Amino acid sequence: MNAIETFALSKKYLPPRGLMALLAKSPVKKVVTAVDEVNLKVKRGELFGLIGPNGAGKTTFIKLLSTLLWPTSGRALVNGYDLTREEDKVKSSIGFVSGEERSFYWRLTGRENLQFFSALHNLSPGIAQKRINEGLDQLELTEAADNMFYSYSSGMKQKLSLARGLLTDPTILFLDEPTKSIDIITAQNLKRFIKETLVKEQERTVIFTSHRLEEVEKLCDRIGIMKKGKIIFCGTTEELMKTLKTPERYRIQVGDLSRDRLTKLGSEHKLVDFSIKGEKDSLLTLEFSFQNGNNPLQGVLNDIFAAGGNLVSCSKKRLSLEKMFTQILLRS
């Protein structure tokens, strides 16, 4: 059932030394642990988000799973293949797309670039042409396919990078900040393609990293949070709320009730983090929290109706992933 399993996977390295340090025979700097004994399971057909602050080890971890780096210790299974013992089988079943792609040839067209990389993957001409055409069509690049790569916008370059990642028809895709440096509309279209086409329709497994936490929250089935090379949380956003013991918060919009009456109501029910927003008494917004199963919502609504108030809306307000992310980093 799992597309990826890691067992105490680690990567350590020595920081680079300048020429002067080598000539002066200065002491070797402390070993850096980029990935620290990570144990992780990603299900097949899952859109898994990997987030963390800069330097947390996200890109290094993905490069390990993509065979671009060799682990220092531990092991991993990628699509059922051992990462170090079956490297060729791992490579043939994955695709890697980076938001900082620099390996395209600028004086070749988009199509010629894809033809070149399909040859590197030893694809037959017939299969290569079929997959190139499919990728260009799916990512709306067909009209620009015969234009020089240097003429492409940032969004088009990113789309071509994804088309290249799909050349081998991988069952697992690693997308490292694929929406970086592209405009909002292009990013929305790209995210829709990832979620609807790659995951839902084609049932691929996608590991997605981004510093834009709002897109991770909307896109991903589960998230993993990295800090200093370790996974400090893995699960859904609802499970993250439970882990943080974040109080649930309600927002009630009320008409035909005065601010004074709402203030009194809040005091009577001893509402936690109670606030009233709105400048006019004709339409006010009441917000409050509750914890430990002590939910005063029904009593509050009953008193609003009894006082002649008009209930416009009532909704549960959840903390954003950004706020929960900040909280768990500070606690860990």
Side-chain angles (χ1 to χ4, degrees):
M1 293 296 293
N2 294 315
I4 294 170
E5 291 186 67
T6 68
F7 308 89
L9 193 67
S10 299
K11 178 63 179 178
K12 299 181 180 182
Y13 62 90
L14 291 171
R17 304 174 70 200
L19 178 61
M20 295 303 296
L22 290 171
L23 293 175
K25 297 181 179 180
S26 58
V28 177
K29 295 180 181 179
K30 185 179 178 181
V31 172
V32 174
T33 302
V35 176
D36 191 2
E37 297 189 350
V38 169
N39 297 293
L40 179 68
K41 293 181 180 180
V42 178
K43 302 172 186 176
R44 293 190 185 276
E46 183 174 26
L47 209 172
F48 186 86
L50 188 62
I51 60 177
N54 289 331
K58 304 183 299 298
T59 298
T60 302
F61 182 59
I62 283 184
K63 286 184 176 180
L64 287 173
L65 296 177
S66 305
T67 73
L68 297 175
L69 292 175
W70 199 257
T72 306
S73 60
R75 60 187 290 262
L77 296 175
V78 178
N79 209 27
Y81 303 123
D82 188 279
L83 185 65
T84 54
R85 296 177 184 175
E86 300 174 285
E87 183 181 353
D88 289 342
K89 291 181 179 179
V90 171
K91 285 181 178 179
S92 66
S93 66
I94 65 171
F96 178 80
V97 178
S98 172
E100 295 185 351
E101 184 52 62
R102 297 188 181 92
S103 60
F104 283 110
Y105 292 89
W106 284 51
R107 294 196 174 275
L108 293 180
T109 66
R111 189 186 304 277
E112 288 169 342
N113 266 287
L114 294 181
Q115 289 169 341
F116 172 77
F117 286 106
S118 65
L120 291 183
H121 286 298
N122 295 317
L123 297 180
S124 68
I127 291 177
Q129 193 60 42
K130 178 177 181 292
R131 292 183 183 169
I132 288 170
N133 289 338
E134 286 176 349
L136 291 172
D137 180 59
Q138 289 177 335
L139 290 158
E140 300 177 343
L141 286 173
T142 302
E143 290 185 8
D146 297 312
N147 296 342
M148 293 294 181
F149 180 78
Y150 67 75
S151 69
Y152 281 16
S153 65
S154 296
M156 293 168 67
K157 289 174 183 175
Q158 196 56 40
K159 286 182 177 182
L160 193 70
S161 183
L162 186 50
R164 182 179 64 178
L166 294 170
L167 284 173
T168 58
D169 193 24
T171 55
I172 301 173
L173 267 172
F174 296 95
L175 306 182
D176 191 18
E177 297 193 62
T179 59
K180 185 177 182 180
S181 302
I182 61 177
D183 64 85
I184 294 174
I185 300 300
T186 304
Q188 288 175 344
N189 292 335
L190 199 58
K191 287 182 287 187
R192 189 180 302 112
F193 175 75
I194 292 167
K195 189 175 184 70
E196 300 298 326
T197 303
L198 297 182
V199 178
K200 288 187 178 180
E201 293 180 19
Q202 300 176 0
E203 298 182 343
R204 302 181 199 266
T205 304
V206 172
I207 290 79
F208 182 95
T209 77
S210 177
H211 285 290
R212 299 175 180 177
L213 300 189
E214 71 283 355
E215 68 181 15
V216 174
E217 184 173 15
K218 292 178 181 178
L219 269 181
C220 299
D221 304 311
R222 291 191 305 146
I223 57 171
I225 300 177
M226 289 193 76
K227 180 181 179 181
K228 295 181 179 179
K230 291 183 177 292
I231 297 282
I232 60 174
F233 172 81
C234 182
T236 64
T237 51
E238 288 76 14
E239 289 168 340
L240 179 56
M241 283 187 66
K242 292 178 181 178
T243 298
L244 293 170
K245 297 180 180 178
T246 303
E248 294 190 57
R249 191 164 179 82
Y250 278 102
R251 175 184 290 165
I252 302 174
Q253 200 169 36
V254 181
D256 303 324
L257 210 60
S258 69
R259 182 183 292 271
D260 289 342
R261 184 66 188 93
L262 271 182
T263 302
K264 184 179 179 181
L265 188 150
S267 299
E268 289 172 350
H269 286 274
K270 298 180 180 179
L271 299 181
V272 180
D273 295 330
F274 169 64
S275 69
I276 300 174
K277 299 177 181 178
E279 297 179 358
K280 298 180 180 179
D281 284 352
S282 59
L283 193 62
L284 299 172
T285 301
L286 167 69
E287 290 190 9
F288 62 91
S289 303
F290 75 91
Q291 285 179 304
N292 304 322
N294 181 27
N295 188 348
L297 178 62
Q298 190 59 57
V300 171
L301 292 177
N302 289 340
D303 283 358
I304 287 174
F305 293 135
N310 176 31
L311 180 65
V312 177
S313 66
C314 178
S315 60
K316 187 181 290 186
K317 184 180 179 183
R318 193 177 71 176
L319 275 184
S320 67
L321 177 59
E322 182 177 347
K323 290 184 178 179
M324 290 191 285
F325 173 74
T326 302
Q327 286 185 20
I328 199 166
L329 287 182
L330 292 174
R331 292 187 186 187
S332 303

